[in-house]
Amino acid sequence: MRKFDPKRHRLPIFNTDGILLVDKPATWTSFDVVNFVRSRFNIPKVGHCGTLDPAATGLLVLVLGKFTRISNSLSGVDKIYSGSLRLGIETDSQDMDGNVIRECDTAGITEEALRNTVMSFMGKSMQIPPMVSALKKDGKKLYELARKGVEVEREARPIEVFDIKVDRIALPDCDFTVHCSKGTYVRTIASDIGSKLGCGAVLTNLRRIASGKFSIEDAISVDELKTIEQPELKEMLEKFLYGKALKIAAEAAGK
């Protein structure tokens, strides 16, 4: 891909700094969203604060211009997700994008057992990251190794689930909401729930609804972004920035 050059654009360079909350659609990578915003509005510097898997949807926090300097601070916050899992299936990616490696009968699993198992994941624990992740092993990203059929040993990492609740059970499916620390893999929580029940489980849906104090309610969709121009974007950024974004950003940066 050719390196982005803001001078090769039909629009003037967009110099307004700020924070843009985008509702990421399914199949788009986080970088796809960043690249779209950067190219669509001719913005030299755009970054994101916390990757979402391509299949996942929801809140993606983008930082524009000078705000890219605090992207790490805005990334290192807790997140809230709504998700769905299905019992009786295991895949090599812990979600529906992977290859099925095991299927199991779930007839003996009760709603009470499932609910209790989900609730048992509340609190601090050690989690083994999935192979399909951007973490690195000996300088190589795990998902790159996974694509080659290579599986390596991963060290468990500390995570914390501040809250988790069951929203709906329709066996073998379960909808849930989880509030967790940075670096928590929800797909792994779903897989571990299945392992604890003895029947396996896979994540079938994931949507980020909050990142720190930023909420999906304030996000704009990609389709909406396609309909606005630079002046509307500038107005949107300034309105949000001088509303609550600046305060949240300052708190995240420790100011």
Side-chain angles (χ1 to χ4, degrees):
M1 182 181 293
R2 188 174 66 183
K3 185 177 180 181
F4 174 70
D5 184 352
K7 295 179 181 179
R8 294 181 179 178
H9 206 284
R10 63 181 178 82
L11 296 174
I13 294 175
F14 187 84
N15 288 317
T16 301
D17 307 315
I19 295 173
L20 179 66
L21 306 184
V22 179
D23 188 345
K24 187 189 86 66
T27 73
W28 283 51
T29 67
S30 299
F31 179 75
D32 287 338
V33 177
V34 168
N35 193 49
F36 165 74
V37 170
R38 185 175 56 191
S39 299
R40 172 77 176 79
F41 299 101
N42 198 20
I43 308 173
K45 295 180 68 174
V46 183
H48 69 77
C49 307
T51 303
L52 272 174
D53 291 335
T57 65
L59 182 61
L60 191 66
V61 179
L62 300 189
V63 280
L64 283 56
K66 295 178 181 178
F67 276 78
T68 56
R69 299 172 185 172
I70 61 169
S71 60
N72 288 337
S73 298
L74 294 177
S75 299
V77 294
D78 51 303
K79 313 289 195 302
I80 301 178
Y81 298 91
S82 61
S84 302
L85 62 82
R86 178 166 297 165
L87 300 176
I89 302 176
E90 291 183 5
T91 69
D92 54 9
S93 63
Q94 301 179 338
D95 65 8
M96 296 301 290
D97 288 338
N99 299 311
V100 176
I101 56 177
R102 177 176 174 244
E103 293 187 65
C104 184
D105 183 18
T106 61
I109 306 299
T110 65
E111 288 191 13
E112 182 181 9
L114 174 54
R115 193 178 300 275
N116 290 339
T117 301
V118 170
M119 297 305 296
S120 73
F121 282 81
M122 184 93 75
K124 296 180 179 180
S125 64
M126 300 297 289
Q127 184 184 72
I128 299 176
M131 276 300 301
V132 185
S133 69
L135 295 177
K136 292 184 178 181
K137 179 75 172 182
D138 298 328
K140 295 184 178 180
K141 293 181 179 179
L142 292 181
Y143 71 78
E144 293 175 344
L145 296 173
R147 287 173 181 169
K148 298 177 181 179
V150 177
E151 182 168 354
V152 298
E153 186 175 349
R154 288 96 66 201
E155 294 184 3
R157 308 192 314 167
I159 64 165
E160 183 169 4
V161 173
F162 305 107
D163 189 26
I164 188 168
K165 62 180 181 179
V166 174
D167 300 315
R168 183 187 71 97
I169 294 179
L171 291 171
D173 297 310
C174 173
D175 300 336
F176 61 94
T177 302
V178 57
H179 178 189
C180 54
S181 59
K182 174 198 173 185
T184 300
Y185 289 93
V186 182
R187 67 172 69 198
T188 301
I189 291 179
S191 178
D192 289 346
I193 287 171
S195 295
K196 200 167 184 178
L197 286 167
C199 62
V202 65
L203 187 72
T204 57
N205 180 63
L206 186 66
R207 180 168 176 78
R208 183 189 288 162
I209 55 179
S211 179
K213 294 184 179 180
F214 292 121
S215 171
I216 189 64
E217 296 176 357
D218 295 315
I220 184 172
S221 71
V222 168
D223 285 341
E224 289 176 294
L225 284 172
K226 292 177 181 178
T227 68
I228 67 173
E229 302 298 332
Q230 285 184 335
E232 289 94 341
L233 178 62
K234 181 177 181 179
E235 182 180 354
M236 181 187 305
L237 290 173
E238 291 178 344
K239 182 178 179 180
F240 183 58
L241 178 60
Y242 294 108
K244 55 179 148 181
L246 191 61
K247 181 180 178 181
I248 294 172
E251 290 175 352
K255 297 180 180 179

